[in-house]
Amino acid sequence: MENSKPVSKAALRRQREREQRYRTILDAAETLFARKGYQQTSMDEIADQAEVSVGTVYFYFKKKEDLLIALLKEIGFDIRKLLGTEFKKAEASMDGLKNAGLAYFKNFCLQYPEKISIFFRESVGQSQAVEKQRKRYLVQLTGDITDALIRIRNKRQISYASHLSEELMAVCIVGIYERVACHYLLWDDRSEDIMTVARDAVSFTLSGVEGLVDPPETAD
Amino acid sequence: MENSKPVSKAALRRQREREQRYRTILDAAETLFARKGYQQTSMDEIADQAEVSVGTVYFYFKKKEDLLIALLKEIGFDIRKLLGTEFKKAEASMDGLKNAGLAYFKNFCLQYPEKISIFFRESVGQSQAVEKQRKRYLVQLTGDITDALIRIRNKRQISYASHLSEELMAVCIVGIYERVACHYLLWDDRSEDIMTVARDAVSFTLSGVEGLVDPPETAD
Amino acid sequence: MENSKPVSKAALRRQREREQRYRTILDAAETLFARKGYQQTSMDEIADQAEVSVGTVYFYFKKKEDLLIALLKEIGFDIRKLLGTEFKKAEASMDGLKNAGLAYFKNFCLQYPEKISIFFRESVGQSQAVEKQRKRYLVQLTGDITDALIRIRNKRQISYASHLSEELMAVCIVGIYERVACHYLLWDDRSEDIMTVARDAVSFTLSGVEGLVDPPETAD
Amino acid sequence: MENSKPVSKAALRRQREREQRYRTILDAAETLFARKGYQQTSMDEIADQAEVSVGTVYFYFKKKEDLLIALLKEIGFDIRKLLGTEFKKAEASMDGLKNAGLAYFKNFCLQYPEKISIFFRESVGQSQAVEKQRKRYLVQLTGDITDALIRIRNKRQISYASHLSEELMAVCIVGIYERVACHYLLWDDRSEDIMTVARDAVSFTLSGVEGLVDPPETAD
DNA sequence: CATGAATGAGTCTTCATTCAT
DNA sequence: CATGAATGAAGACTCATTCAT
């Protein structure tokens, strides 16, 4: 019994250390990809920044792409979690959509502009494998929003203009939040205006959705 | 008198030939960038496709980037012309916005999906120089839409939610048209649904704009 | 008779123009080779500087090397002429050697530092063909000095240390004048000190020669 | 205690191997630059000759220039060491100068003609960076000789013609030894005559120096 | 597991030279 | 003769990836 423990303790430490290394490397990649661009960052630089050797980077990530894909996955997951939380708080109502939008700008874009840079810029126009993953995560995101819109529709007992409308709206919403973030954070750094912008963008979104409700809710 | 410019004939032909070459090369680049991706296309391949030597490609374009930037410029210009035309036809009204949106999908996206690919995908995440030009052309586009919104505002004697609203709406509209095009043409090829999607996207856009009108037009 | 003249007039003009072109191009090359270096100067740049087309440059000089070789020849010839004149003025005496050295610094190095740059720097370390010509002109120069030394020897009825001495001394003299010019004109621009330097260098040279006289002139 | 540095063994071997590789590559470059010329030698050829890959060459030398500069440095250092040794052996006397000259021809030029080729030919007329280093090492060499001449002057309590004389003489000496080596080893291979030539060149040098002593040593 | 030297395919880019007009 | 667009071989350099220690 006793000597089964020491092993597991060491093993646990190892496990912990390995996870730390993984994180360190991924963080290094995130920092550099955001600062210099994916193409302009070499594996050596990432190893340097993470204070490990190239070999070690390759132990955790088989290819350079994998770093980008892992980041993509993490960021996609974070955004979905954020939205999911807000959708849940205000179950199946337009408020969920509204709060999710505001939270995205306030708690995500402003906090982690480098993640925006990676998700919406550095991961675009790279290899096919990256594009595939990028599509996967953005489609999931779109799916989440589509689902939320469907729940809202069901609850409000309304229908939308066409059978494609829910998904289309979700796509529009993603497009808005993508471009607004890029425009006001990556191109012009207007961080101080971001919440004004956010409110307008959310308004735009909500009105856009309402505009596709069909037939209009008849207040009888 | 006429033969006082004997140069012109030969010179004109040369000029014409030069322009043709330029076009041939740019077309080759467009095709390949859209098909294989910017990074994955080598200058030799472009030369091959254009049926000239690498040297000739470099005679017309000093660097590989310059090909992408030239394409960016052309495409940006084409989109602006399309929108400008529609805005002018329905002077300062929401119809202009509507028709411009529909025309974009019908007369641009469907006709030249490869241009969409270059403008919204292949030119992203490349070098700084490309990003700079990309920003330039997208900001111009946003400016055009902003101006149109301002003209509409003036004509209707309304105002919008905040001092940033016009620009913000323009950014949203660009985001929508970008993402919708990518989603339905590059990711899923749902060309046949595109006009349904387009109508919904336009509706979404118009409602979005209306939603930011403030104070609401008083129905007297 | 009469109509044989017009032809020859035009022909003469042509001839003159051709020679002017040749000069213009060679001057352009000289300027650029001295300013930017032979390797760093392209044929296009030379054409530009000479205000002609590349094709024209190639009409007068079949290869890029030929420009350098032509310059080498000219410069070599100029130096030999300068030395020859001084040698002749002070027939077969050490004064000839002295005056030639002073004239070299005063009337050549100071006037045409760019020729020094080409003769002693830009034409070194290039292709085999250039090296061959460079050797040819420097060997001629050495030969001239050797001959002068032999004439002096004969006149003074002396002999030198070994059968190789005359040539060796000439080689030394060429080496001195080469390095001094490079050192004080191309590396440090100490043009204002050049005549002091020149006097010392000439003294050094003359003493060097005297030192190899053997047996020493017995002052009886 | 001993095994507190278990790294050292493996690390030392690595260090040694690295240095060997560095040498192998530099030797390959030296051989090829001397045989074919700097310009005419490609990095691939150097890699081939050194039996490594191009990548490895670039691992040790960031640019092609760096190979030449490293060679320049080594050769410059070797020559200075040789001279320094002779100067020291015959402290502050003309014998030092004499022996240094003879040693240069006997122990350097004859042994390593390829180094002469690189130092005095292949490194001339290349890029600015190379020229800069070349100047640096030749100026150091000149400085060494200048210092020796000053020490001799002090010991003998004499002075030279002008305040520039020491440096000027050093420049002359460098010029002589440069040109003589090139003339009799690179242009005509007269290796068998080299020691005769050397003696004459040394005589020339010594007399040259004496000639600039001023006022002449008073024969008491 | 970590290291970092080694690999070499791949690419952009340059530029001397040619030749049809 | 002059022009300048076209050629394409050649070469420097990069960097993702591997692997022996």
Side-chain angles (χ1 to χ4, degrees):
Chain A
M1 254 189 172
E2 259 184 310
N3 55 3
S4 73
K5 290 294 179 190
V7 191
S8 100
K9 253 187 200 163
L12 277 173
R13 183 176 48 76
R14 290 234 174 130
Q15 173 70 9
R16 220 181 325 127
E17 280 175 5
R18 238 187 303 157
E19 278 162 16
Q20 275 170 10
R21 276 268 158 79
Y22 181 92
R23 266 257 63 80
T24 312
I25 294 168
L26 209 50
D27 289 346
E30 183 174 289
T31 305
L32 292 172
F33 289 170
R35 186 193 306 157
K36 315 183 40 178
Y38 174 72
Q39 296 284 347
Q40 286 70 37
T41 302
S42 73
M43 290 301 264
D44 283 82
E45 284 173 306
I46 294 168
D48 253 31
Q49 172 83 5
E51 298 180 313
V52 296
S53 66
V54 237
T56 303
V57 176
Y58 273 91
F59 178 79
Y60 291 95
F61 301 90
K62 294 299 151 235
K63 299 155 76 194
K64 191 186 177 189
E65 281 182 342
D66 292 352
L67 280 161
L68 191 50
I69 291 173
L71 286 170
L72 223 42
K73 188 173 188 170
E74 270 197 8
I75 298 170
F77 182 78
D78 287 352
I79 298 182
R80 291 181 72 197
K81 200 171 66 181
L82 184 95
L83 299 193
T85 306
E86 295 300 328
F87 286 158
K88 218 164 264 169
K89 277 202 239 165
E91 182 57 37
S93 77
M94 293 295 273
D95 274 354
L97 216 55
K98 180 178 156 192
N99 294 334
L102 294 173
Y104 163 78
F105 286 110
K106 192 173 176 186
N107 302 327
F108 196 81
C109 296
L110 275 179
Q111 311 289 326
Y112 314 106
E114 68 292 359
K115 290 186 198 292
I116 291 297
S117 162
I118 288 167
F119 204 64
F120 291 128
R121 185 168 58 196
E122 295 311 322
S123 63
V124 188
Q126 312 300 350
S127 66
Q128 276 198 273
V130 173
E131 181 67 5
K132 193 179 152 191
Q133 296 301 320
R134 190 182 141 74
K135 179 184 163 184
R136 171 203 294 273
Y137 298 121
L138 272 169
V139 164
Q140 282 183 349
L141 202 58
T142 307
D144 288 353
I145 299 177
T146 306
D147 291 346
L149 287 169
I150 290 176
R151 282 199 301 278
I152 293 174
R153 183 194 66 185
N154 291 339
K155 179 131 181 243
R156 285 171 63 185
Q157 298 202 303
I158 53 177
S159 67
Y160 296 121
S162 79
H163 67 291
L164 293 170
S165 297
E166 286 99 355
E167 192 195 62
L168 181 274
M169 287 188 291
V171 171
C172 289
I173 292 170
V174 169
I176 290 170
Y177 291 175
E178 170 184 0
R179 185 108 314 273
V180 170
C182 290
H183 198 101
Y184 292 102
L185 287 172
L186 305 183
W187 282 352
D188 280 343
D189 185 5
R190 288 205 246 158
S191 318
E192 72 284 358
D193 290 339
I194 208 72
M195 288 318 297
T196 307
V197 158
R199 271 187 294 275
D200 276 9
V202 166
S203 279
F204 189 100
T205 303
L206 296 183
S207 311
V209 172
E210 291 296 350
L212 280 175
V213 170
D214 175 73
E217 280 177 287
T218 49
D220 67 312
Chain B
M1 260 192 172
E2 264 184 309
N3 53 4
S4 72
K5 284 178 185 181
V7 237
S8 54
K9 256 186 199 162
L12 278 175
R13 185 173 44 69
R14 281 213 171 168
Q15 175 71 8
R16 219 179 327 127
E17 278 174 5
R18 255 220 314 252
E19 278 160 16
Q20 275 170 11
R21 272 277 156 77
Y22 181 93
R23 265 259 64 79
T24 312
I25 294 168
L26 209 50
D27 288 346
E30 183 174 288
T31 305
L32 291 173
F33 289 170
R35 186 194 304 157
K36 317 185 38 178
Y38 174 72
Q39 296 284 346
Q40 287 70 38
T41 303
S42 75
M43 289 301 265
D44 285 83
E45 285 172 308
I46 295 169
D48 259 26
Q49 172 83 8
E51 297 180 310
V52 295
S53 66
V54 230
T56 301
V57 176
Y58 275 93
F59 183 80
Y60 290 94
F61 301 90
K62 295 296 154 241
K63 301 195 283 171
K64 193 184 175 191
E65 277 184 344
D66 291 353
L67 280 162
L68 191 49
I69 290 173
L71 287 170
L72 223 42
K73 187 173 187 170
E74 271 197 9
I75 299 172
F77 182 79
D78 287 352
I79 299 183
R80 291 181 73 196
K81 200 171 66 183
L82 184 93
L83 299 194
T85 307
E86 294 301 328
F87 287 157
K88 217 164 264 168
K89 276 202 239 162
E91 182 59 36
S93 78
M94 292 297 272
D95 274 355
L97 217 54
K98 181 178 155 192
N99 295 335
L102 294 174
Y104 164 77
F105 286 110
K106 190 171 175 189
N107 302 328
F108 196 81
C109 297
L110 274 178
Q111 312 290 325
Y112 314 107
E114 68 291 358
K115 290 187 198 292
I116 292 297
S117 162
I118 286 167
F119 203 64
F120 291 128
R121 186 168 60 196
E122 294 311 322
S123 64
V124 187
Q126 311 301 352
S127 68
Q128 274 197 271
V130 173
E131 180 69 5
K132 193 178 153 192
Q133 296 302 321
R134 191 181 140 72
K135 179 183 163 183
R136 172 202 295 273
Y137 299 121
L138 272 170
V139 164
Q140 283 181 350
L141 203 57
T142 307
D144 288 353
I145 300 178
T146 305
D147 291 345
L149 287 170
I150 289 176
R151 281 198 301 277
I152 293 175
R153 183 195 66 184
N154 291 340
K155 178 127 181 243
R156 286 172 59 187
Q157 297 202 303
I158 53 175
S159 68
Y160 295 122
S162 78
H163 68 290
L164 294 169
S165 298
E166 285 100 356
E167 191 196 64
L168 181 275
M169 289 188 289
V171 171
C172 288
I173 291 170
V174 169
I176 290 169
Y177 291 173
E178 170 185 0
R179 184 109 312 275
V180 170
C182 290
H183 199 101
Y184 292 102
L185 287 171
L186 306 184
W187 283 352
D188 280 343
D189 185 8
R190 289 204 248 157
S191 318
E192 72 286 357
D193 290 338
I194 211 69
M195 287 320 294
T196 308
V197 158
R199 271 186 295 273
D200 277 9
V202 165
S203 279
F204 189 99
T205 302
L206 297 182
S207 311
V209 172
E210 291 297 349
L212 279 175
V213 170
D214 174 71
E217 281 179 286
T218 50
D220 64 313
Chain C
M1 253 190 172
E2 260 186 310
N3 55 2
S4 74
K5 291 289 179 191
V7 189
S8 101
K9 254 188 200 161
L12 277 174
R13 184 176 47 75
R14 289 234 175 133
Q15 174 70 8
R16 219 181 325 126
E17 279 176 2
R18 238 188 302 158
E19 278 162 17
Q20 275 172 9
R21 275 269 159 82
Y22 180 92
R23 265 260 62 81
T24 312
I25 293 169
L26 208 50
D27 289 345
E30 183 174 288
T31 305
L32 291 173
F33 290 170
R35 186 192 306 157
K36 315 184 41 178
Y38 174 72
Q39 296 284 346
Q40 286 70 38
T41 302
S42 72
M43 291 300 265
D44 284 82
E45 285 172 305
I46 294 169
D48 253 32
Q49 173 82 7
E51 298 180 311
V52 297
S53 66
V54 238
T56 302
V57 176
Y58 272 91
F59 178 77
Y60 290 95
F61 300 90
K62 294 300 153 235
K63 300 157 76 197
K64 192 187 176 189
E65 280 181 341
D66 292 352
L67 280 161
L68 191 50
I69 291 173
L71 287 170
L72 223 41
K73 189 173 186 169
E74 271 197 10
I75 299 171
F77 182 78
D78 287 352
I79 298 182
R80 291 180 72 196
K81 200 171 66 183
L82 184 92
L83 298 193
T85 306
E86 296 300 329
F87 287 157
K88 217 164 267 169
K89 276 202 240 163
E91 180 59 37
S93 78
M94 293 295 272
D95 275 354
L97 217 54
K98 180 178 156 191
N99 295 334
L102 294 173
Y104 164 78
F105 286 110
K106 190 171 175 187
N107 301 328
F108 196 80
C109 297
L110 275 178
Q111 312 291 324
Y112 314 106
E114 67 293 358
K115 290 188 199 290
I116 292 296
S117 163
I118 287 167
F119 203 63
F120 290 128
R121 186 168 58 197
E122 295 311 323
S123 63
V124 187
Q126 311 301 350
S127 65
Q128 275 198 273
V130 173
E131 181 68 4
K132 193 178 152 192
Q133 297 303 319
R134 189 183 142 72
K135 179 183 163 183
R136 170 202 296 272
Y137 299 122
L138 273 168
V139 165
Q140 284 183 348
L141 203 57
T142 308
D144 288 353
I145 299 177
T146 305
D147 291 347
L149 288 169
I150 290 175
R151 281 198 301 277
I152 292 174
R153 184 193 66 185
N154 291 339
K155 178 130 181 241
R156 286 173 61 189
Q157 297 202 302
I158 52 177
S159 68
Y160 296 121
S162 78
H163 68 291
L164 293 169
S165 298
E166 286 98 357
E167 191 196 61
L168 182 273
M169 289 187 289
V171 170
C172 288
I173 292 171
V174 169
I176 289 170
Y177 290 174
E178 169 184 2
R179 184 109 314 273
V180 170
C182 289
H183 199 99
Y184 292 101
L185 286 173
L186 305 183
W187 283 353
D188 279 343
D189 185 6
R190 288 203 248 158
S191 320
E192 72 284 359
D193 290 336
I194 210 71
M195 287 319 294
T196 306
V197 158
R199 271 186 295 273
D200 276 9
V202 166
S203 279
F204 189 100
T205 303
L206 297 183
S207 310
V209 172
E210 292 297 348
L212 279 175
V213 170
D214 176 73
E217 279 177 287
T218 49
D220 65 313
Chain D
M1 257 188 173
E2 263 182 308
N3 53 4
S4 70
K5 283 179 183 177
V7 239
S8 55
K9 256 186 199 161
L12 277 174
R13 185 173 43 71
R14 282 214 171 167
Q15 176 71 8
R16 219 180 326 128
E17 279 174 5
R18 253 220 314 252
E19 279 160 17
Q20 275 171 11
R21 272 279 155 75
Y22 181 93
R23 266 257 64 80
T24 312
I25 294 169
L26 208 50
D27 289 345
E30 184 174 288
T31 306
L32 292 171
F33 289 170
R35 185 192 307 157
K36 317 183 39 177
Y38 174 73
Q39 295 286 345
Q40 286 70 38
T41 302
S42 76
M43 289 301 263
D44 284 82
E45 285 172 306
I46 294 169
D48 259 26
Q49 172 84 5
E51 297 181 310
V52 296
S53 66
V54 229
T56 301
V57 177
Y58 276 94
F59 183 80
Y60 289 94
F61 301 90
K62 295 297 152 241
K63 302 195 282 172
K64 193 186 176 191
E65 277 184 343
D66 292 353
L67 280 162
L68 191 49
I69 290 173
L71 286 170
L72 222 42
K73 188 174 186 168
E74 270 197 9
I75 298 171
F77 182 79
D78 286 353
I79 298 184
R80 291 181 71 197
K81 202 171 64 182
L82 185 93
L83 299 193
T85 305
E86 295 302 329
F87 287 158
K88 220 166 263 168
K89 276 202 239 164
E91 181 60 35
S93 76
M94 293 295 274
D95 274 355
L97 216 55
K98 181 178 155 192
N99 295 334
L102 294 174
Y104 164 79
F105 286 110
K106 189 173 177 188
N107 302 327
F108 197 81
C109 296
L110 275 178
Q111 311 290 325
Y112 314 107
E114 68 294 355
K115 290 188 200 291
I116 292 297
S117 162
I118 287 167
F119 203 64
F120 291 127
R121 185 169 58 197
E122 295 311 321
S123 64
V124 187
Q126 312 300 351
S127 67
Q128 274 198 273
V130 173
E131 180 68 5
K132 193 179 153 191
Q133 297 301 321
R134 190 182 141 71
K135 178 184 164 183
R136 171 202 295 272
Y137 299 122
L138 273 170
V139 164
Q140 283 182 349
L141 204 57
T142 307
D144 288 353
I145 300 176
T146 306
D147 291 345
L149 288 170
I150 289 176
R151 281 199 301 276
I152 293 174
R153 183 194 64 184
N154 291 340
K155 179 126 179 248
R156 288 173 58 188
Q157 299 201 300
I158 53 175
S159 67
Y160 295 122
S162 79
H163 68 292
L164 294 170
S165 298
E166 286 99 356
E167 193 195 63
L168 182 274
M169 289 187 289
V171 171
C172 289
I173 293 171
V174 170
I176 290 170
Y177 291 175
E178 170 184 0
R179 184 108 315 273
V180 170
C182 290
H183 199 99
Y184 292 101
L185 287 172
L186 306 183
W187 282 352
D188 279 343
D189 186 6
R190 289 204 248 158
S191 316
E192 71 285 358
D193 290 337
I194 210 74
M195 286 319 295
T196 307
V197 157
R199 270 187 294 275
D200 277 8
V202 166
S203 280
F204 189 99
T205 303
L206 296 183
S207 311
V209 172
E210 291 298 349
L212 279 175
V213 171
D214 175 73
E217 280 178 286
T218 50
D220 64 309

